[in-house]
Amino acid sequence: GRNVDNACQSIQQPWGLMEAEECVTSSLNLQEQLKYQEAKVGYQRALDLQIARLGEEHELVAESLNRLGLVAGILGNYTEAERLHARALDISRGCLGDEHQYTATCLGYLGVTMRRLGRLSKAEENCTRALMIRTQELGANHPDLAQSLNDLGDVMFDLVKLPKAKECFVKALAIGNDNATTEAARSLFGIGLVMSLQCVFSEAEGHLHRSLEIRKQVLGDFHPHVAQSLCGLANVVISNFVFVGKGDLSQASKFANMALGMTKQIFGPDHPAVARDLFFLGYAMLLQNKLPEAEACHDRALAIFKHAFGDIDRHVASCLMMGAAVKMGQRNISEAVEFCADALTIGIQAFGGDDHLVIGSCLLAMGSSLHQQGKHHEAAQHLSRALAIVQQVLGDNHLLVSTILHDLGEVMYCEEKYPEAKEYHSRALAIRKQALGEDHMNIATILHSLGMVAYEQGRYLEAEENHSRALAIRTQALGEVHEDVAMSLYNLGCAVHQQGKTADAVRLLKKCVAIEKQVLGDDHKNVAFKLRQLEMMKAQQGLGFARLKMMWKFRSTGWIM
């Protein structure tokens, strides 16, 4: 929590309130010991004494209301915190005026609480006003501005206004000269999250590690802010894995578990911070294909979020999307679609519109789930809406844009709209090459899809070139013996076979079968299928450019017999 006394040095304590002062001093000590419930009792006692002595409309009463509000917020009681901070703001305005520094403090506290409750427009208004008042009185470089800048930066991040958020955090950090303070740690944490969302993962991790170091140095190893930094690191590692394939998921699980143990011990099992840690632990488990563990984390996190924020909340929507991903992993597509639909409905209500990144993510998940159900037209509609939102929020060249473009290409392929499929895949490929380079595994995925499209259009040389390049990337990244390498060999063999290069096709399919036998076993249905195709090709050797009608059609996830 923040020390309100330092924020309002101009408020003079009248005589005759010694017991209230003692209650405040005792509660501040308890708060430093993380004994928040006991501190709350002392702050309430001080408030009662002050009201009895001074009446309700006094600046010292506002100060005590803010102390109570801060503790309520720390404990996850955000509705109570909002009520307390709003009352403090009314008193401060009445006693001190709209432009007073303590009024700015009250606006900041109320803005932070509204952000936690998801009322982001109002939070932005209050935090912006607080910063303006402080800047007018104190100048642009006063140390007190760091808190207001960080408050506003947090709101801008939640609104996914990333340039503005980063600007606030960088300014706050500069004001403190990057000294080891709690506000500097907040700034570094915020910059790290912005960079993570911009897919600059190495720098993001560096900022978050520095934030963690400062918090440990200033607050000790066991503190809610330390847990927050650990969870932030888990978030970055997971995002790195999802977008670039480089994150160490066991490390993400470790960070999330450490944060979870800390928050449970400090707050008990039902605090929103516990749900936050469960959420990221669940995602790490999901990406490691530990579906029972992921589902357990999801179920518990969802229950906590609903209890803390109600059914219509952004945290609930995000958690439901994780639930949908778990259902997809379990191959329960119909339930995944239901989860996505609920997440989308809740997200639109929570944000009051459909232009937030969370809504775009819900639409993406919904489109992918519908695609798996074979409802390609509906999938395309959802994915197109997702693309528009994500481009607006993150720009045209973000890796998430490439993911949506690739998914749209897959849907167009299934609808046999090959020119449109090629266009989407080509756009996705250009973004990924720019972000990841020429030799990344995610490049191979799109080259594979482009090869499939070219094959269906009868452009067999183009198909050969794409599959050959995909094969080279996959072999370098995965080694010779891998199922994806076998798939590329098979696709390449089909492409060269259609050009009459039967001997080359047979050679490629032999390598494919050998790998699949080693990976899947001699009796796997895919091995049997390839052996049949191999015999067909062998029978055609020497027939020149004779064509056989292919009896199978490929999809991005494999083949359909």
Side-chain angles (χ1 to χ4, degrees):
R2 310 175 201 180
N3 191 336
V4 186
D5 300 297
N6 294 334
C8 192
Q9 295 178 355
S10 63
I11 297 177
Q12 298 299 314
Q13 189 81 294
W15 297 103
L17 292 174
M18 295 301 295
E19 185 180 351
E21 290 184 35
E22 290 170 1
C23 288
V24 169
T25 301
S26 175
S27 291
L28 288 170
N29 290 330
L30 289 167
Q31 195 167 330
E32 289 180 1
Q33 299 170 47
L34 311 183
K35 298 179 179 179
Y36 298 112
Q37 289 288 1
E38 294 93 326
K40 186 178 179 183
V41 172
Y43 289 143
Q44 183 65 57
R45 174 61 180 160
L47 176 63
D48 293 340
L49 289 167
Q50 288 167 338
I51 290 175
R53 173 68 175 80
L54 304 169
E56 295 191 356
E57 304 296 324
H58 193 281
E59 54 263 37
L60 289 177
V61 172
E63 191 176 342
S64 285
L65 286 165
N66 274 330
R67 289 196 191 95
L68 277 169
L70 290 171
V71 173
I74 291 169
L75 292 169
N77 302 321
Y78 302 124
T79 301
E80 179 186 358
E82 180 189 22
R83 175 182 59 80
L84 292 163
H85 290 313
R87 178 68 185 127
L89 176 60
D90 288 341
I91 294 171
S92 182
R93 281 174 166 163
C95 295
L96 303 171
D98 289 344
E99 307 298 322
H100 195 276
Q101 288 298 298
Y102 195 66
T103 299
T105 299
C106 296
L107 284 164
Y109 291 148
L110 186 57
V112 169
T113 304
M114 286 180 165
R115 168 185 164 253
R116 288 169 174 163
L117 288 168
R119 295 204 282 275
L120 299 180
S121 296
K122 194 65 179 176
E124 180 183 3
E125 178 185 328
N126 284 327
C127 290
T128 301
R129 181 64 183 148
L131 178 60
M132 186 182 302
I133 293 170
R134 283 185 163 170
T135 303
Q136 288 173 349
E137 178 71 22
L138 303 173
N141 297 308
H142 194 278
D144 286 356
L145 262 67
Q147 178 181 308
S148 292
L149 284 164
N150 281 329
D151 290 344
L152 184 57
D154 287 339
V155 177
M156 293 296 105
F157 179 81
D158 285 357
L159 288 167
V160 204
K161 298 180 180 180
L162 300 185
K164 180 63 176 177
K166 188 174 182 180
E167 178 186 346
C168 289
F169 293 133
V170 169
K171 282 184 178 179
L173 190 62
I175 286 172
N177 295 317
D178 199 16
N179 291 325
T181 64
T182 55
E183 288 302 328
R186 273 186 79 194
S187 302
L188 289 162
F189 183 83
I191 294 169
L193 291 187
V194 170
M195 288 184 164
S196 177
L197 199 49
Q198 293 173 330
C199 297
V200 189
F201 296 113
S202 178
E203 291 184 47
E205 281 198 58
H207 281 80
L208 287 167
H209 275 295
R210 178 60 180 147
S211 170
L212 178 63
E213 289 171 5
I214 293 173
R215 285 174 166 172
K216 285 184 173 181
Q217 178 183 340
V218 176
L219 303 170
D221 291 345
F222 188 79
H223 193 276
H225 292 168
V226 172
Q228 183 193 43
S229 287
L230 288 166
C231 198
L233 282 165
N235 181 4
V236 173
V237 173
I238 289 168
S239 298
N240 196 0
F241 180 86
V242 169
F243 285 110
V244 183
K246 292 186 177 179
D248 182 349
L249 293 176
S250 63
Q251 189 70 18
S253 300
K254 178 182 176 181
F255 286 139
N257 261 317
M258 290 170 65
L260 179 61
M262 205 175 295
T263 51
K264 275 187 174 180
Q265 190 170 342
I266 294 169
F267 297 119
D270 302 319
H271 192 277
V274 172
R276 172 202 67 197
D277 300 340
L278 285 165
F279 177 84
F280 287 108
L281 179 60
Y283 252 118
M285 295 293 105
L286 171 66
L287 294 170
Q288 294 172 82
N289 204 34
K290 298 178 180 179
L291 298 181
E293 295 93 330
E295 187 169 32
C297 288
H298 162 267
D299 292 348
R300 183 66 192 128
L302 182 62
I304 297 171
F305 280 140
K306 284 187 173 183
H307 183 263
F309 300 108
D311 291 344
I312 309 301
D313 181 75
R314 55 185 175 143
H315 301 89
V316 173
S318 296
C319 202
L320 285 168
M321 280 196 292
M322 181 175 76
V326 172
K327 295 300 179 185
M328 288 287 286
Q330 296 170 337
R331 309 305 301 165
N332 192 340
I333 310 301
S334 59
E335 282 196 47
V337 171
E338 291 176 9
F339 272 72
C340 289
D342 288 345
L344 181 58
T345 300
I346 291 168
I348 291 172
Q349 292 182 57
F351 288 104
D354 61 356
D355 59 348
H356 193 277
L357 183 59
V358 170
I359 308 301
S361 300
C362 289
L363 288 164
L364 169 58
M366 186 73 170
S368 299
S369 300
L370 289 167
H371 175 46
Q372 291 295 321
Q373 280 191 318
K375 298 178 180 178
H376 305 307
H377 181 68
E378 292 178 58
Q381 291 179 323
H382 283 80
L383 290 169
S384 295
R385 288 174 62 196
L387 179 63
I389 293 169
V390 174
Q391 284 180 316
Q392 179 183 345
V393 174
L394 296 177
D396 292 340
N397 296 316
H398 195 276
L399 284 171
L400 186 57
V401 172
S402 76
T403 298
I404 301 171
L405 287 168
H406 183 243
D407 285 0
L408 275 165
E410 296 299 285
V411 172
M412 294 299 105
Y413 178 86
C414 290
E415 290 192 310
E416 300 183 359
K417 297 179 179 178
Y418 302 122
E420 293 92 333
K422 182 179 180 180
E423 179 186 353
Y424 283 127
H425 288 319
S426 297
R427 288 167 62 188
L429 181 62
I431 293 170
R432 290 191 183 179
K433 280 185 175 180
Q434 182 180 347
L436 305 174
E438 298 277 349
D439 300 320
H440 195 276
M441 273 291 294
N442 289 349
I443 300 296
T445 301
I446 301 182
L447 288 168
H448 163 87
S449 297
L450 282 167
M452 303 308 298
V453 172
Y455 186 93
E456 292 294 340
Q457 291 182 304
R459 300 195 313 274
Y460 302 119
L461 178 59
E462 184 180 333
E464 178 187 353
E465 291 170 350
N466 284 315
H467 287 310
S468 179
R469 181 67 184 129
L471 174 62
I473 294 170
R474 285 173 167 172
T475 302
Q476 181 179 356
L478 303 172
E480 298 279 350
V481 182
H482 192 279
E483 198 170 355
D484 288 350
V485 172
M487 181 182 288
S488 287
L489 285 164
Y490 182 69
N491 294 335
L492 182 57
C494 291
V496 300
H497 177 240
Q498 290 290 4
Q499 297 174 69
K501 305 173 187 176
T502 308
D504 289 339
V506 169
R507 175 180 56 81
L508 291 164
L509 252 69
K510 282 182 177 179
K511 291 180 68 175
C512 168
V513 169
I515 293 169
E516 288 200 339
K517 281 184 176 181
Q518 189 171 344
V519 174
L520 303 175
D522 291 350
D523 299 326
H524 195 276
K525 64 178 182 178
N526 290 345
V527 173
F529 174 68
K530 302 297 174 39
L531 285 169
R532 290 197 300 270
Q533 306 313 315
L534 182 58
E535 291 304 315
M536 290 171 60
M537 287 186 181
K538 285 180 178 178
Q540 296 173 62
Q541 284 187 285
L543 296 181
F545 286 89
R547 301 282 197 261
L548 285 180
K549 190 76 173 176
M550 302 301 291
M551 299 173 61
W552 62 92
K553 182 177 283 188
F554 285 96
R555 293 296 181 255
S556 61
T557 54
W559 45 87
I560 299 174
M561 288 181 282

